[in-house]
Amino acid sequence: MTRMLYAMRVVIALLAGAAALLTIRGIASMYVGGPGGEDPGDWTIPAVLICALLTVPCSRVARRMYRRTRVLPPNIDQVPGIAGRDARELGEDSEGFAPALTGIAVACAAALVTEGGKAGTVAAGIGVPVALAAVLITRGRKREARGIAARHDRIARVRGHGTKVRAEVLGVGHGSSWSHGGPVLTVEARFETPSGTRTVVETLAIAPADVPAVGGSVLVWYLDDGAEFYLEEDPDSAHEPGAAERYKEPETF
């Protein structure tokens, strides 16, 4: 499956690169004609559209392949609510975009070497910002993948091997972030360990109506003396009155 995913990324890059080369030739022909000065004909625009449109289903296939290559730890499926949806989110929505940009950048570099005049100018104008965008997006995806892997490792380790307790909620704060329709809260909680009382602060995404009240509870898994912990909503906690309306995500247009 991993090899197939890499092959699909190559296909996406080739399609995007072909579309870029055809676009460069088409733009240049407006000024100096096609290769050797001849008219490139009416096939350029349909060919560009076909290559560009083919990248869409290929990207959808690549997203599915990406998800199938990422095996989640078993207890990730046990995380409930919005926190569980966040934990199972692999960030595959942009899969195919980085390969497409890379293909365009490589095609523009090839055009710079093989073409001259207007075509070279067009290639440079397209290639430089696209190459920069490809680098930034690729670095961002790698950083995102490392963050997701670290979160999965933490949940699997602490939730799977830690001690589960019910913690008292000391404070609930909310800025301006929402996830899957629920607020991303900053929860301060207190719980007991064999070495004493620990107070922790952690972010928690939760459905608006399920926001815990101060004095309510959350579930905590911790390792050793609580230096490493994982916090989750408690379905039996008292909820903050009017939370469903207060923490409802604002509509955007």
Side-chain angles (χ1 to χ4, degrees), residues 32 68 74 94 113 172 208 210:
V32 295
R68 293 182 65 181
S94 59
V113 174
V172 176
D210 296 334

Side-chain angles (χ1 to χ4, degrees), residues 19-109:
L21 283 175
L22 290 169
T23 300
I24 292 168
R25 289 290 187 90
I27 294 175
S29 68
M30 296 179 185
Y31 300 96
V32 295
E38 71 274 11
D39 187 347
D42 296 332
W43 58 270
T44 303
I45 292 177
V48 169
L49 291 176
I50 290 172
C51 289
L53 290 175
L54 282 175
T55 60
V56 176
C58 287
S59 294
R60 292 179 64 88
V61 173
R63 286 198 293 271
R64 293 182 180 181
M65 288 182 175
Y66 174 78
R67 175 167 284 277
R68 293 182 65 181
T69 61
R70 299 297 183 266
V71 180
L72 295 175
N75 61 7
I76 296 294
D77 288 333
Q78 300 171 10
V79 179
I82 292 175
R85 294 177 65 182
D86 282 343
R88 290 184 287 272
E89 177 58 57
L90 295 173
E92 80 277 14
D93 288 344
S94 59
E95 183 65 42
F97 193 48
L101 290 178
T102 302
I104 294 173
V106 171
C108 289

Side-chain angles (χ1 to χ4, degrees), residues 106-124:
V106 171
C108 289
L112 278 172
V113 174
T114 60
E115 304 290 340
K118 294 290 186 180
T121 302
V122 173

Side-chain angles (χ1 to χ4, degrees), residues 2 4 6 34 40 59 63 129 132 135 153 156 159 188 195 197 206 217-218 241-242 249 253:
T2 300
M4 292 176 63
Y6 286 142
S59 294
R63 286 198 293 271
L132 179 60
V135 170
D153 178 69
R159 198 179 192 276
E188 182 180 6
S195 59
T197 302
I206 192 169
S217 60
V218 289
E249 184 176 11
F253 299 93

Side-chain angles (χ1 to χ4, degrees), residues 120-225:
T121 302
V122 173
I126 297 174
V128 171
V130 168
L132 179 60
V135 170
L136 293 176
I137 289 174
T138 300
R139 291 181 62 182
R141 278 190 57 79
K142 289 182 178 179
R143 185 166 56 249
E144 179 187 31
R146 286 195 298 268
I148 291 172
R151 179 170 57 176
H152 287 171
D153 178 69
R154 177 188 173 206
I155 295 174
R157 186 176 62 257
V158 182
R159 198 179 192 276
H161 304 286
T163 300
K164 177 183 176 182
V165 297
R166 181 168 276 111
E168 180 187 1
V169 175
L170 302 180
V172 176
H174 178 238
S176 57
S177 296
W178 277 266
S179 176
H180 299 288
V184 179
L185 307 172
T186 301
V187 177
E188 182 180 6
R190 179 174 60 201
F191 59 97
E192 298 294 332
T193 72
S195 59
T197 302
R198 283 194 56 87
T199 301
V200 298
V201 177
E202 179 67 292
T203 58
L204 175 63
I206 192 169
D210 296 334
V211 173
V214 173
S217 60
V218 289
L219 300 179
V220 174
W221 284 259
Y222 70 89
L223 293 175
D224 301 325
D225 62 348

